[in-house]
Amino acid sequence: MTGTPAPGAVSVLAHGIGAQHDLPLSPFYAFAGAFTALFVSFLALGLLWSDSRFRGDRAGRPLPDAVRRAADALATRTALRALGLAAALAVLLCLLLGPDDPDRNPAPGAVYVLLWVGLVPASLLCGPVWALLNPLRTLHLALCRALGRDPAAGPPPPPWLGMWPAAAGLFAFTWLELVAPDPASATALLSFLAAYTVLHLAGAVRYGARWFDHADAFEVYSRLLGRLSPLGRRADRSLVVRSPFNGLDATPRLPGLVATVCVMLGSTAYDGFSDAPSWITTVQTSALGRTTTATLGLLAAVVLVAALYTLCAGATRLISGRFDHPLTAFAHSLVPISLGYLVAHYFTLFVTESPRTVMMALGTDNPAPPEPLLGPGGIATLQVLAIVTGHVLGVVAAHDRSVRLFPPGRAVAGQLPLLVLMVAYTCGGLALLIA
């Protein structure tokens, strides 16, 4: 997070990876290595991977019966719902009763670090965990039971709605995190959480609990990242161990999917760019004012990511011919790229600020964050590897989808726009780290 923060811990929260522009990394070797990795993987896939190998939600090896029974047990799900609700109530009490000082109140860290950043490793390890912890689902369930109503009752949401509410919710949250004048203040967090709760409970009352599946921003965020988890559900709902590529291949092609992933990518890119001295000067001196200028910058980052992907989808269709859902057909390949950006930008923030937040929650007043696990060189290497690995995984996912959709003569050629897009995203991501 790299907005213009309030003093104290907000500055730490907002600059979790330190001074990116001073990382000890050779731009030549970073860009050359990234381009080589992408180009070699593209050539290797074109020569050696002629048939689709991913089977989406049909793939996976079932876990032992005892593990599946424990995971699906009512007691397990009830305990997780209670844990999520208790954590939400604790954050609410801290915001209402605690000091309005992020150095002494764990609530901002709980929202921006434990929830937003912590969902990344949690979803990668365990799948879409927020669906089990989501306190809004628990509140909706309690409300339905109090009224004697079936939580699933209600018409399905309109098909055109898809993931658009989640895309809007993610943009609103990242605006709060990166643009709002005082993102860690109790007033800002309470206002966002109250509006978010009312809107989504209203949606759940209208459409039933299925509303959260594709509309709740944090559930969709966790579900998309959980596509890369080794744990997943087959189409028959069995809990299985699977290749993350199969989970990724099963990403539903819903309206708003592209917008959601582009918000994830664009907001993280803006986070890195907003730390640049030139942008800080622009924001501080703009005649439009800091908030308006920063909002336009965040929106421009998301629109740029989406425009590049849309142009790529159009070029792919021109080269390969007509195919179903050209805009969403390859959107799943952006998920590992987004993951790479998230790891690169927020790794140090998570490993330093999450223990500090927990210590504050346990009663320590203004604790010092632990020393980073890696030095500047290690952080730089991790960041570059995360971005390059995410793009290589995206190339693999896109190639498998391409050989499934297109005839053999057009499968490789149809990926050229995607390769150009991956190179552009990679160069942009690396430039944000080392420029």
Side-chain angles (χ1 to χ4, degrees):
M1 309 170 208
T2 57
T4 302
V10 183
S11 179
V12 178
L13 292 177
H15 297 277
I17 61 172
Q20 301 174 41
H21 308 285
D22 297 327
L23 292 178
L25 195 67
S26 165
F28 173 79
Y29 288 116
F31 284 106
F35 179 79
T36 300
L38 288 174
F39 190 68
V40 170
S41 61
F42 175 79
L43 287 180
L45 290 169
L47 293 172
L48 304 174
W49 195 311
S50 58
D51 298 310
S52 176
R53 303 182 185 185
F54 304 147
R55 297 186 295 123
D57 58 7
R58 296 171 295 158
R61 178 177 299 178
L63 290 170
D65 289 340
V67 176
R68 286 184 286 167
R69 284 196 299 269
D72 292 333
L74 178 61
T76 302
R77 293 178 174 273
T78 301
L80 290 172
R81 284 198 294 264
L83 176 63
L85 185 61
L89 290 175
V91 170
L92 180 62
L93 288 175
C94 287
L95 289 172
L96 291 173
L97 305 177
D100 196 7
D101 178 359
D103 281 331
R104 292 176 171 80
N105 192 324
V111 174
Y112 293 126
V113 180
L114 297 183
L115 172 60
W116 178 241
V117 184
L119 271 180
V120 177
S123 301
L124 284 178
L125 291 174
C126 305
V129 293
W130 191 246
L132 301 173
L133 295 168
N134 191 349
L136 297 185
R137 278 189 181 269
T138 305
L139 289 175
H140 175 249
L141 178 63
L143 179 63
C144 289
R145 287 182 175 175
L147 298 176
R149 177 180 175 179
D150 180 3
W160 58 264
L161 196 61
M163 294 182 178
W164 282 107
L170 284 174
F171 186 85
F173 179 79
T174 53
W175 181 91
L176 175 70
E177 175 198 13
L178 302 174
V179 174
D182 194 2
S185 70
T187 300
L189 282 168
L190 285 171
S191 298
F192 174 83
L193 294 174
Y196 193 89
T197 298
V198 169
L199 287 172
H200 283 285
L201 285 181
V205 168
R206 176 69 178 89
Y207 297 111
R210 67 173 67 86
W211 166 263
F212 297 108
D213 293 344
H214 302 302
D216 185 283
F218 298 102
E219 276 206 21
V220 170
Y221 177 68
S222 179
R223 285 182 190 278
L224 287 174
L225 295 172
R227 293 286 172 187
L228 291 166
S229 171
L231 298 177
R233 298 276 181 179
R234 284 194 317 214
D236 61 4
R237 303 303 300 159
S238 295
L239 187 63
V240 297
V241 177
R242 66 187 180 188
S243 163
F245 284 113
N246 283 310
L248 192 61
D249 189 65
T251 304
R253 304 185 203 178
L254 297 176
L257 171 63
V258 174
T260 301
V261 181
C262 288
V263 169
M264 292 169 61
L265 267 173
S267 61
T268 310
Y270 175 79
D271 188 1
F273 175 73
S274 64
D275 192 40
S278 58
W279 179 248
I280 293 174
T281 301
T282 299
V283 168
Q284 292 176 343
T285 59
S286 172
L288 296 175
R290 176 212 172 272
T291 302
T292 301
T293 304
T295 300
L296 292 175
L298 174 61
L299 184 61
V302 174
V303 170
L304 177 61
V305 170
L308 290 175
Y309 175 77
T310 302
L311 288 173
C312 169
T316 299
R317 189 172 184 180
L318 286 175
I319 294 172
S320 301
R322 297 182 61 86
F323 58 97
D324 293 338
H325 309 292
L327 196 59
T328 56
F330 294 95
H332 69 301
S333 66
L334 300 183
V335 175
I337 298 173
S338 179
L339 172 63
Y341 276 52
L342 289 166
V343 172
H345 282 273
Y346 297 135
F347 170 78
T348 302
L349 172 70
F350 183 70
V351 298
T352 58
E353 284 303 309
S354 56
R356 185 174 184 275
T357 299
V358 172
M359 286 188 287
M360 273 195 286
L362 295 177
T364 304
D365 185 47
N366 194 17
E371 290 296 321
L373 296 177
L374 301 174
I379 292 174
T381 302
L382 173 67
Q383 290 176 321
V384 172
L385 286 176
I387 289 177
V388 174
T389 301
H391 284 82
V392 170
L393 295 179
V395 168
V396 175
H399 176 83
D400 189 85
R401 181 64 57 84
S402 181
V403 298
R404 183 188 309 168
L405 291 177
F406 307 143
R410 295 182 180 179
V412 174
Q415 294 175 69
L416 289 174
L418 289 166
L419 177 63
V420 173
L421 178 70
M422 301 293 183
V423 171
Y425 283 168
T426 303
C427 292
L430 293 177
L432 292 175
L433 293 178
I434 62 180

